Amino acid sequence: MSSEIKLGNTLIRADLNVPIENKIILDNFRIIKAIEHLEEIRKKSRTVTFLSHLGRPHGVESEFSLVPVAMEMSKILNEEVIFINSVYGSEVGNKINNQPGKIFLLENLRFHKEELENSESFAKRVTQNFDTFILDAFGAAHRRHSSIVSFGKFIESYQGKLMTNEVENLQLLVNSPQKPFTVMLGGAKVSDKLELINKLLPIVDNLLIGGGMCFTFLKALGNNIGSSLCEDDYLNTAKELLESENGHKIHLPSDFGVTKSIDSGLRKDKYITEFSNDDIGIDISNKSINTFKTILKNSNTVFWNGPMGIFEKDNFKMGTQSVTEIVSNLNAYTVVGGGDSVSAIRKFSDPSKFNHISTGGGASLKYLQGNELPGVNIYKPLIL
Ligand code: AMP
């Protein structure tokens, strides 16, 4: 039956929300993933059109245009991806109808407030130029926006393969992880990851915490963390977690790269017990890296989200670079949740060395927390 499928003019809601600075794309990972199944879809379609949001524009703002994304897609595919400066109307319909076999990209969905308001009339207007809709934007699946939850009310709709694959891989982590199961979290904020920690702590064997977020835990234990990042409002919560029944599973770094000024780029390595008041912890150091390495090497499942330090700066990248290399060479089932950890992998290693790298930062964390995502499993999976 699947080989008979005819998609006609196909519309794909992808997540092409990539970091762009001065019209230069800093990381094209999401673009590469969004076009992974394009050839299969194309064989069954008359035309294929992508649409996505980009950033958080307030109305039409040229710096949030998807033109650079169309150029990048064209470069990767070695074929012109025709950019259409609109998301609905006769301009879109005419261009698509007159150019069978072509690939198109529409302008930023969020130039229309109706997208964020989950407007049904907007959904109807956008979809009326197409025969089939494929929802494949896992990175936006936690948003109750029109393209995520309402487009399917008007045309034949499917869940794309990227989305299905994301869900299957993340589900495996929470439902049947091979033990020992280790989760490694980093990045700036504890508050962003508290819900995740609460959900995962009972099911993991080890929780390694690095990055800026570990200092709230270290301060809660009574350490002088100097001028390092800390969320004082969460000190009590951190203390409760450490003292809870599963608190022994939490492993914190014991030594750090420190600086007096992040802008200076200067680094000195010291133990947490040696911090002075003006020291800022900006990376984990050798002893902690080795402790994390031993735990990671003894794990059969690893989930990693968030850098171990300010890896964007050369002098502060050692911890993140080291754990990237360690996790890439494990025999374990390895999953990485979007965002900065993906940039780190692309900078320091090779994404193919990981079992699954999620395209969704916030969405992957929300999914692992056990939240139902409005855009997940609402349409039948596309099988070609
Ligand atoms: P998040 O969005 O919470 O995952 O945070 C990612 C950011 O955390 C990255 O830009 C890192 O530079 C930053 N980061 C990691 N470690 C530290 C640290 N020790 N102090 C301040 N920022 C950090």
Side-chain angles (χ1 to χ4, degrees):
M1 184 200 105
S2 59
S3 59
E4 303 297 321
I5 201 166
K6 284 213 166 54
L7 303 173
N9 289 320
T10 302
L11 176 65
I12 304 178
R13 171 40 163 126
D15 178 7
L16 303 170
N17 183 31
V18 290
I20 300 181
E21 239 174 59
N22 300 326
K23 302 199 171 144
I24 309 278
I25 293 176
L26 303 179
D27 185 344
N28 64 6
F29 177 67
R30 281 184 166 157
I31 301 178
I32 291 171
K33 296 301 283 182
I35 57 179
E36 212 167 60
H37 302 287
L38 175 60
E39 275 317 304
E40 293 162 75
I41 294 170
R42 210 171 177 188
K43 282 185 195 144
K44 312 283 176 177
S45 303
R46 184 176 174 276
T47 56
V48 177
T49 302
F50 287 89
L51 97 169
S52 174
H53 72 284
L54 179 72
R56 294 176 182 209
H58 302 282
V60 180
E61 288 185 79
S62 61
E63 69 183 281
F64 293 99
S65 170
L66 277 154
V67 168
V69 175
M71 287 165 70
E72 182 71 13
M73 286 172 97
S74 306
K75 204 163 93 191
I76 300 170
L77 293 167
N78 200 18
E79 167 182 350
E80 187 192 5
V81 170
I82 301 165
F83 180 75
I84 306 179
N85 183 23
S86 185
V87 294
Y88 54 69
S90 53
E91 188 198 350
V92 177
N94 290 340
K95 286 203 168 145
I96 286 168
N97 285 322
N98 293 334
Q99 300 177 82
K102 297 290 185 192
I103 305 164
F104 302 87
L105 174 64
L106 305 183
E107 186 50 290
N108 193 344
L109 269 165
R110 288 195 188 161
F111 283 178
H112 304 265
K113 66 178 184 341
E114 297 94 323
E115 160 70 355
L116 289 93
E117 290 166 351
N118 186 16
S119 153
E120 289 213 359
S121 59
F122 177 69
K124 192 171 176 185
R125 254 180 294 159
V126 177
T127 51
Q128 69 190 5
N129 284 314
F130 301 92
D131 303 301
T132 311
F133 174 60
I134 299 173
L135 178 58
D136 213 10
F138 181 72
H142 56 312
R143 313 247 180 238
R144 203 169 281 285
H145 291 170
S146 181
S147 62
I148 303 298
V149 294
S150 291
F151 279 23
K153 293 177 185 160
F154 300 99
I155 48 172
E156 179 79 358
S157 296
Y158 296 91
Q159 174 164 287
K161 286 192 170 182
L162 175 67
M163 179 98 112
T164 303
N165 188 258
E166 290 268 16
V167 173
E168 282 172 3
N169 275 284
L170 295 175
Q171 224 163 31
L172 210 90
L173 278 188
V174 267
N175 291 347
S176 47
Q178 261 211 45
K179 302 284 224 160
F181 176 20
T182 296
V183 169
M184 180 165 64
L185 299 178
K189 286 189 170 174
V190 180
S191 47
D192 286 352
K193 284 163 192 158
L194 262 185
E195 223 182 301
L196 182 71
I197 294 175
N198 277 321
K199 164 79 184 174
L200 292 182
L201 199 54
I203 57 174
V204 302
D205 298 287
N206 308 290
L207 174 61
L208 315 181
I209 302 181
M213 62 185 283
C214 71
F215 293 104
T216 304
F217 288 88
L218 287 165
K219 187 169 175 182
L221 286 173
N223 293 288
N224 175 16
I225 59 163
S227 303
S228 309
L229 214 61
C230 182
E231 287 174 274
D232 284 330
D233 289 350
Y234 292 90
L235 284 172
N236 281 339
T237 318
K239 194 157 192 276
E240 278 163 25
L241 276 166
L242 289 162
E243 287 172 357
S244 71
E245 182 192 348
N246 291 308
H248 65 279
K249 297 177 180 176
I250 300 176
H251 300 266
L252 299 168
S254 55
D255 59 345
F256 294 92
V258 301
T259 189
K260 307 280 184 203
S261 144
I262 292 175
D263 287 341
S264 74
L266 296 173
R267 171 184 182 133
K268 194 170 174 211
D269 289 64
K270 50 168 84 171
Y271 289 101
I272 184 71
T273 46
E274 299 167 339
F275 270 46
S276 48
N277 290 345
D278 56 353
D279 278 333
I280 309 169
I282 34 74
D283 191 16
I284 61 170
S285 194
N286 291 315
K287 187 161 186 283
S288 310
I289 294 169
N290 277 329
T291 308
F292 283 12
K293 184 176 180 177
T294 307
I295 296 169
L296 289 164
K297 282 196 145 184
N298 284 319
S299 305
N300 281 319
T301 306
V302 172
F303 173 73
W304 172 34
N305 178 273
M308 296 292 108
I310 307 177
F311 73 103
E312 298 91 338
K313 286 191 176 262
D314 269 355
N315 263 355
F316 309 159
K317 71 180 184 189
M318 180 176 84
T320 306
Q321 177 162 10
S322 305
V323 299
T324 308
E325 283 159 8
I326 293 163
V327 179
S328 7
N329 290 310
L330 294 176
N331 285 322
Y333 175 75
T334 51
V335 179
V336 178
D340 285 308
S341 343
V342 181
S343 312
I345 288 169
R346 302 194 80 218
K347 195 167 169 182
F348 304 128
S349 179
D350 171 2
S352 71
K353 291 184 155 185
F354 295 77
N355 290 85
H356 182 68
I357 299 182
S358 178
T359 52
S364 65
L365 299 191
K366 282 209 156 61
Y367 190 77
L368 288 175
Q369 278 159 216
N371 293 357
E372 294 261 323
L373 305 191
V376 164
N377 293 339
I378 53 174
Y379 306 126
K380 54 189 172 294
L382 180 67
I383 300 168
L384 294 174

